[in-house]
Amino acid sequence: MNSSRLMKYFEQYVKNYDMNNINVKVKYFHCLKMMELCRDIATSLNVFSDEEIVICELIGLFHDIGKIGISDTILLKPGKLTDEEYSELKKHPAIGKQIVANSTIFR
């Protein structure tokens, strides 16, 4: 998988979101920044093939995909989360794992 194909998948993923919403924009650009950071780290280590670097980009891009399964009430809460809310938020990696495991994009 190359970077342009990777971006095509990501754009398909975000096309259903309102890009005029500031919270959506922040999440979108955060994911792009994480993709860039993962690529830069992988490249600077000089141990990864081009394909492995693209995989690192993919990891950065979709690192928070499990937050889809977390209520916006929790994700957008302006103040400190309660213990119960924080416990719910901590489920996002497991939710993300299920999403990735069931998606053909990541195979």
Side-chain angles (χ1 to χ4, degrees):
M1 181 180 299
N2 60 36
S3 291
S4 62
R5 186 170 169 212
L6 175 68
M7 285 307 299
K8 184 182 99 179
Y9 284 125
F10 186 67
E11 287 167 3
Q12 287 176 329
Y13 164 73
V14 298
K15 74 178 179 183
N16 296 320
Y17 292 91
D18 176 10
M19 290 307 287
N20 293 316
N21 180 315
I22 188 65
N23 294 312
V24 172
K25 281 184 181 178
V26 167
K27 291 174 190 174
Y28 175 76
F29 288 109
H30 166 72
C31 290
L32 292 178
K33 189 65 179 171
M34 290 304 298
M35 179 185 85
E36 181 181 299
L37 181 62
C38 289
R39 179 187 56 237
D40 291 349
I41 290 170
T43 302
S44 69
L45 291 173
N46 290 319
V47 296
F48 295 109
S49 68
D50 289 344
E51 183 178 338
E52 290 169 325
I53 290 171
V54 171
I55 291 169
C56 290
E57 289 177 319
L58 185 67
I59 290 166
L61 195 58
F62 287 97
H63 76 282
D64 273 343
I65 196 168
K67 286 185 178 177
I68 290 171
I70 305 298
S71 166
D72 280 347
T73 305
I74 293 172
L75 293 175
L76 304 175
K77 184 174 180 179
K80 184 177 178 180
L81 298 177
T82 65
D83 289 344
E84 184 179 309
E85 291 167 333
Y86 185 63
S87 291
E88 190 67 23
L89 179 63
K90 291 192 303 185
K91 294 177 183 177
H92 89 270
I95 295 168
K97 180 181 177 183
Q98 287 178 323
I99 292 168
V100 169
N102 293 315
S103 174
T104 58
I105 295 173
F106 304 101
R107 292 185 191 156

